[in-house]
Every structure is written in C-alpha cells, then in structure tokens.
Amino acid sequence: MNRSLAIEFSRVTEAAALAGFAWLGRGDKNSADDAAVQAMRLMLNQIDMAGEIVIGEGEIDQAPMLYIGEKIGSGKGEEISIAVDPIEGTRMTAMGQANALSVLAAGGKNTFLRAPDMYMEKLVVGPEVKDMVDLDLPLEQNLRRVASKMGKLLSQLTVVTLDKPRHSDFIKHMQNLGVKVMAIPDGDVAASILCCLPETGVDMLYGIGGAPEGVVAAAAVRALGGDMQARLIPRDQVKGASAENQAIAADEIRRCQEMGIDVNKVLKLDDLVHDDNLVFSATGITNGDLLKGIQRRGNLATTETLLIRGRSRTIRRIQSIHYLDRKDTALYRLIGA
C-alpha cells in the first residue's frame, strides 16, 4: 500500500473525529457515532480504491453504520480491506471523558480476519515479551511469564482492562497477586497500542471487548512488533444465558461458521492480521494517554493523528489545523461548524 493512500486514511479518521467532536458532552452517544460514521463514509468514498469493510458494526441490515461487506471508495485502484471503529469510546465522547478516538485499519484484500461484530477476548503485550503469552493458559500463568521475561515482580506489572462487571473477578484476582490494574471505562484500542510503545508504563491488556476493535488493535500491534492473542466469544457466554442472548449467540455462531472461523478458539496475531501490508490511523477526539484531543476555536480546529505503516514500521504523529468555513460541503454540516 503506497504512502499517499496512508495519508488519505489519516484524513478519514480526522474527519470522523471532527464530526464526533461536534457532539462532545451532549449525552447522546448515538448521534455522535452516527455523525462520525457519515463523515468516515463520505471521506472513504472519495478515495481511489476498491474498498470493502471486512469488520465493522454489523451486516447490511445495520446501516447507516459502516457495515460488514459494504463497498467503499471509487471502485478504481487497489483492492483494500478495512476494519473500522468510527468512534472508539462513544460514551466517553457523549460524556466529555478522556481517551475517545476515531480509528481504522486498512490493508490488502486478505489482510484482516473476517468476523462478525461480536465479543472478543484479548490479550496484548509489547515487543519485549513477544511469543510469551498463551490465551489457553490461566491468566495468572501469563502474568508470571510476562513478569519473568521483563525481569519484574508481579507487583511491578501494570495491566489495563475495561471496567465492566464481567471483569470484576479477574480484576480482584490480579490485585490480590499484587498486579497494578488500570480499569478504564472504554478504549481498549488505545490501551493495546500503549502496551507496544516504550515508556508508557503499560505491560499488558487483558479483557473482553468488541471484535472490530480487536482487529483494528491487532493491526497496530503487528506494525509495532507486539503480540496479541484473541478468541471470539458468543454473547450468552459473556452477558448470560437469557433467551435473547442465546438467540443472538446462535446467530453469531452461524455467521462465524459461514465465514470459516471457530468461536472459543484461540486466534494468534497472524490469524487476526495476515501480513504487514497495512495502515493504521487513529485521531484523538478527547485528550488521552495516546493522543491529544481536538481543540477548537470558532471555525479553527486542531487534531492529532497517529499514523502507522506496517511494511516500513513508520510511526507518524500528524498535527493538523483545519479551517472549517466551507459551508458548501457535506463534511462542514456534519461537524456542526
């Protein structure tokens, strides 16, 4: 994938972030997400490529979300597969909280795992402990292997997870072992990247989140030389065996079978992202540990974007100034200028 396409994808996440930012602190996460989706779709369709969403927010009946199987781009040029999360942290955006991002990963036609929008168990570490984790092993054993490889005591490890009721037991277990646990409301893509960057103080991410976020994170983890394992989990195993959850789980299992993948089977990094022909782009919406959030005064806005190219392992931080005074454009209307 050439450098000019990478820059195009940074413009996509910038636009989605600006559109989501228009709903910052308004308490309406659905409207924020919808605005970001519309902006992302608008920008993607301006790129000369034969693009397809391979993991996103659901199949075609879930439109206007960017749905699995949706064709995007001009139809000319390279065949590109795209994994998206227009807003990673819709609730954080709606509530004006930190660490909200707009993210996507783009690669060749067969670069990414194709999977439904469902739950995914994830275990992420940085380059220093690559090949040292195994999701089939108990969490404590993984913690001890990582600590030993890094020359640390368990009390010196920092693990990030999502602050969800489903994680309460293992959070207590890790804390009882002396591990420092950073429980965040949302945003495991950013946390996955922090595992792979030096001097962040984050050693591991573990928890159950969304599959689209997992594949997007895997692209960045691969490009940064880290390691990740994951497992697709049906809804009833995560949320409880109610009749509704069991019906949803049955449909998830059916869709996985149609896509040729197994639930509850450990997926290694190569299963999630098959090669280095990829680009990862993330733009901050609110200030966070990974990126600065959008600053806006009148029709002038600044954004910060993290852009990573897999083949060259080039990491760029792009600070952009946007003049939001083009009232004739669809994007202008979305960002609430």
Side-chain angles (χ1 to χ4, degrees), residues 211-223:
E213 294 88 345
V215 174
V216 171
V221 169
R222 178 170 181 133

Side-chain angles (χ1 to χ4, degrees), residues 14 114 118 120 188 252 334:
E14 285 175 353
R114 294 172 181 256
M118 59 188 293
M120 176 182 276
D188 59 1
E252 290 170 341
L334 285 172

Side-chain angles (χ1 to χ4, degrees), residues 177-189:
L177 291 170
V179 175
K180 291 179 286 186
V181 180
M182 310 299 290
I184 59 176
D186 291 293
D188 59 1
V189 173

Side-chain angles (χ1 to χ4, degrees), residues 38-53:
Q38 290 187 56
M40 188 169 273
R41 178 180 283 119
L42 179 71
M43 298 300 289
L44 285 169
N45 281 329
Q46 294 177 16
I47 300 174
D48 279 335
M49 63 176 176
E52 180 184 1
I53 304 297

Side-chain angles (χ1 to χ4, degrees), residues 48-95:
D48 279 335
M49 63 176 176
E52 180 184 1
I53 304 297
V54 296
I55 188 162
E57 298 293 338
E59 279 76 5
I60 190 168
D61 59 343
Q62 295 298 315
M65 308 307 289
L66 282 155
Y67 57 84
I68 297 170
E70 180 174 355
K71 307 298 183 184
I72 39 88
S74 68
K76 305 173 183 178
E78 289 186 58
E79 290 186 281
I80 303 292
S81 59
I82 297 178
V84 296
D85 192 359
I87 297 183
E88 159 76 336
T90 53
R91 183 175 60 177
M92 285 125 69
T93 302
M95 301 305 294

Side-chain angles (χ1 to χ4, degrees), residues 121-295:
E121 184 181 15
K122 309 163 193 178
L123 179 58
V124 181
V125 292
E128 188 177 350
V129 286
K130 187 175 176 64
D131 300 323
M132 292 299 296
V133 294
D134 185 344
L135 205 49
D136 276 332
L137 297 176
L139 176 59
E140 182 175 341
Q141 193 168 342
N142 278 294
L143 292 168
R144 293 189 182 279
R145 291 174 69 167
V146 169
S148 176
K149 180 67 174 179
M150 298 183 77
K152 292 184 174 184
L153 302 173
L154 283 179
S155 60
Q156 295 173 309
L157 279 186
T158 299
V159 177
V160 176
T161 190
L162 297 178
D163 186 13
K164 306 291 184 183
R166 59 181 176 267
H167 295 158
S168 296
D169 288 343
F170 76 73
I171 288 175
K172 291 178 182 177
H173 180 57
M174 287 191 288
Q175 290 172 336
N176 288 337
L177 291 170
V179 175
K180 291 179 286 186
V181 180
M182 310 299 290
I184 59 176
D186 291 293
D188 59 1
V189 173
S192 297
I193 296 170
L194 291 174
C195 292
C196 301
L197 295 175
E199 300 179 0
T200 65
V202 177
D203 301 308
M204 178 188 290
L205 174 135
Y206 175 75
I208 299 170
E213 294 88 345
V215 174
V216 171
V221 169
R222 178 170 181 133
L224 294 169
D227 201 8
M228 177 175 179
Q229 292 193 1
R231 182 161 34 208
L232 294 168
I233 305 179
R235 184 180 181 89
D236 60 340
Q237 295 179 21
V238 178
K239 302 287 283 185
S242 68
E244 180 184 3
N245 288 340
Q246 287 179 325
I248 293 171
D251 187 55
E252 290 170 341
I253 293 169
R254 175 190 60 79
R255 286 151 59 199
C256 284
Q257 290 172 340
E258 291 174 353
M259 294 178 178
I261 53 176
D262 298 320
V263 298
N264 294 314
K265 178 183 177 181
V266 172
L267 301 167
K268 296 184 178 180
L269 185 57
D270 284 345
D271 298 317
L272 299 167
V273 182
H274 309 316
D275 58 59
D276 293 324
N277 181 29
L278 64 89
V279 170
F280 171 88
S281 181
T283 301
I285 299 173
T286 58
N287 285 327
D289 299 312
L290 183 65
L291 288 164
K292 296 178 182 177
I294 293 170
Q295 300 294 319

